Amino acid sequence: MTITLKLETLTAEAFAPFGDVIEASDTVQHFTINEGNTERYHDLAKIEPGQDGQAIVSIFRGQPRSLPFTVEMMERHPKGSQAFIPQSGQPYLVIVAPAGPTPKAAELRLFLARGDQGVNYATGVWHHPLMALNQVADFIVIDRKGPGDNCDVIQLEEKAIIAELETTTA
């Protein structure tokens, strides 16, 4: 059997079980700095490099995915968080499942992120690799460098499909 994923709008509340939404919004703490020239949107994500790790910054360049798309695998980073901040201004897809044992297809959540929203996957949260849409897209990625294996990859027993990009609210 194949599960069809329903697309949800990415909001901080809906994404909270999986990590943080990184965005400049009136709903987050913000204040003026630099003699009134800059608005600082403060403390948007908890970066967790884990024991003996350090936070590093990379750029990931994602190739666009075509729909319909079959989700066959997921990954997680058991030793640290992983943040994705889009640089191309393009929407992208986020597929997640709760931290813990291998997820079932029915546990997957699908979010549409705007081109000005980043996500920070909390330590151990299952997620699909980068899902750029429409065109090649660059992302600043903040994640962990350090000893030990920090990427678990699993194949789903049941597949999930992304058929279309019509959003629903959760």
Side-chain angles (χ1 to χ4, degrees):
M1 185 168 98
T2 301
I3 303 291
T4 300
L5 298 178
K6 292 191 168 128
L7 189 63
E8 300 177 52
T9 301
L10 182 65
T11 65
E13 297 77 25
F15 196 73
F18 311 106
D20 309 298
V21 173
I22 302 168
E23 67 180 326
S25 123
D26 288 339
T27 63
V28 300
Q29 181 185 7
H30 60 101
F31 46 89
T32 304
I33 61 172
N34 298 335
E35 299 174 339
N37 190 54
T38 303
E39 191 72 8
R40 177 179 175 146
Y41 293 84
H42 184 70
D43 197 14
L44 300 177
K46 182 175 172 39
I47 303 301
E48 301 171 347
Q51 184 176 354
D52 299 326
Q54 18 176 350
I56 61 168
V57 176
S58 305
I59 294 177
F60 287 19
R61 180 163 289 155
Q63 300 300 311
R65 306 287 184 141
S66 297
L67 297 180
F69 181 84
T70 302
V71 181
E72 299 179 1
M73 58 81 68
M74 296 289 280
E75 67 179 35
R76 69 176 174 187
H77 304 283
K79 295 181 180 277
S81 62
Q82 189 177 45
F84 286 78
I85 304 166
Q87 296 298 291
S88 302
Q90 295 295 311
Y92 62 101
L93 297 177
V94 175
I95 305 167
V96 290
T102 300
K104 306 281 186 220
E107 296 175 283
L108 302 183
R109 302 266 304 269
L110 172 65
F111 294 96
L112 177 62
R114 297 186 320 259
D116 64 346
Q117 291 178 303
V119 294
N120 181 45
Y121 300 119
T123 302
V125 165
W126 292 100
H127 59 278
H128 193 276
L130 191 56
M131 294 284 299
L133 295 170
N134 306 325
Q135 65 185 44
V136 174
D138 287 350
F139 292 79
I140 291 176
V141 177
I142 304 168
D143 62 353
R144 178 187 192 274
K145 177 176 112 174
D149 187 16
N150 190 34
C151 187
D152 298 331
V153 178
I154 55 96
Q155 297 297 311
L156 294 171
E157 288 181 23
E158 290 183 312
K159 310 283 187 262
I161 191 163
I162 303 167
E164 55 189 70
L165 292 184
E166 187 173 317
T167 59
T168 61
T169 54

